[in-house]
Amino acid sequence: EMSEMSERSKQNVAHGLAWSYYVGYLKIVLPRVKKSMEEFSRANPNLLVCKKTWKLHILVPLSCDVYDELEKADSNIQYVTDLTETTLARAGTKKRVYKHSLYAIRDEENQLWHCAVEYATPLQSLYAMSQDECAAFSREERLEQAKLFYRTLEEILQGSKECADAYRLIAYEEPEEAESHFLSREMVWHLRQEHHEELSVLEGSHPQSPCTAPDSAELSLQISVSDLPQPLRTDGF
């Protein structure tokens, strides 16, 4: 009975997507990210000078609006190259390839910041479900599921020793009025935070706790303590 109630209210969708994303992808690739970044840095010492950025930056747009090409989302984001591939036998597929792309992000001062970045692909499924009559997802339900996906994924990764310090989740809600360089500003803010964290460690002081980026919507993401996955609260969001 509880399972049926949960299915009717769609409470398990984002929870399941987050776990599938972690077990089927992130747990495989994240432990290898730093090695790939280190190999690239040796060949290109001027591009990845800050080791705190040697991680996979995962974009989580709460609108679930995912672009296949980041350049189309923001012209200040440009593809540079692919990092070293990881090839594994997976679920019957021989030599399945996993790889990440390196991008250059231009800031307001025309400075370039380099990092590996990609969208959280399960958000494409949430968006597709909201467009499919069979799933019957409303726009409001999609937003709730996106917030639940983010919060669940964050908790999973925080408890994962294999993935520690190999990722950075970048959750954001796009402004109502279109801004052509909103995404690049959001990413640069996070990259600057990582640079500050590295400088703080090198100087022997405590790293600053990242705060909400200026110009970004504050993410008040809360989750119920119930044993069953519950919709996130939206009050104050």
Side-chain angles (χ1 to χ4, degrees):
E1 183 179 351
M2 292 176 67
S3 177
E4 289 178 1
M5 290 173 61
S6 183
E7 286 181 19
R8 283 198 299 270
S9 59
K10 306 180 181 70
Q11 291 173 355
N12 282 332
V13 175
H15 187 265
L17 285 174
W19 271 103
S20 177
Y21 184 47
Y22 167 69
V23 174
Y25 179 65
L26 295 181
K27 193 175 181 180
I28 298 169
V29 302
L30 289 183
R32 297 171 170 84
V33 165
K34 281 194 178 296
K35 183 179 179 181
S36 295
M37 301 291 278
E38 184 178 0
E39 290 173 356
F40 181 86
S41 182
R42 283 200 296 266
N44 304 270
N46 296 325
L47 293 186
L48 296 173
V49 295
C50 176
K51 290 187 177 181
K52 276 288 184 178
T53 65
W54 292 8
K55 57 187 67 173
L56 183 61
H57 297 75
I58 303 170
L59 301 178
V60 186
L62 298 183
S63 66
C64 298
D65 194 3
V66 172
Y67 288 80
D68 289 327
E69 297 180 35
L70 279 167
E71 296 90 340
K72 293 182 178 179
D74 190 322
S75 61
N76 277 351
I77 304 172
Q78 294 295 320
Y79 167 80
V80 176
T81 188
D82 290 330
L83 298 177
T84 306
E85 297 178 352
T86 296
T87 304
L88 301 170
R90 186 74 177 168
T93 300
K94 300 289 186 180
K95 298 181 179 180
R96 176 165 289 182
V97 175
Y98 298 88
K99 65 180 180 180
H100 310 291
S101 296
L102 189 77
Y103 286 86
I105 298 95
R106 190 178 302 277
D107 66 15
E108 64 277 4
E109 298 173 355
N110 218 32
Q111 179 183 351
L112 292 178
W113 301 72
H114 295 83
C115 69
V117 59
E118 60 190 49
Y119 284 102
T121 51
L123 296 178
Q124 288 182 310
S125 298
L126 283 177
Y127 187 86
M129 290 178 70
S130 70
Q131 305 298 308
D132 194 306
E133 292 183 1
C134 296
F137 250 30
S138 68
R139 187 171 179 273
E140 291 73 19
E141 287 172 325
R142 185 181 70 201
L143 176 61
E144 293 302 307
Q145 292 296 320
K147 289 190 284 184
L148 178 55
F149 171 83
Y150 168 76
R151 184 60 181 155
T152 305
L153 183 62
E154 182 182 48
E155 291 183 350
I156 294 170
L157 288 171
Q158 285 176 348
S160 173
K161 294 181 180 179
E162 302 98 323
C163 301
D165 203 34
Y167 69 92
R168 188 177 184 101
L169 296 180
I170 303 178
Y172 58 92
E173 185 173 26
E174 295 175 350
E176 293 182 3
E177 295 185 8
E179 296 183 26
S180 57
H181 299 306
F182 169 81
L183 183 55
S184 59
R185 287 202 309 272
E186 188 79 10
M187 292 173 62
V188 165
W189 183 86
H190 283 271
L191 292 169
R192 282 177 174 151
Q193 286 295 314
E194 289 169 338
H195 277 254
H196 291 327
E197 290 167 13
E198 179 161 297
L199 287 173
S200 297
V201 172
L202 292 174
E203 293 170 358
S205 58
H206 296 290
Q208 294 180 354
S209 299
C211 56
T212 305
D215 304 325
S216 298
E218 289 189 42
L219 301 181
S220 176
L221 307 177
Q222 301 181 31
I223 191 168
S224 171
V225 295
S226 169
D227 291 336
L228 285 174
Q230 298 290 324
L232 291 162
R233 291 171 51 189
T234 56
D235 49 316
F237 185 82

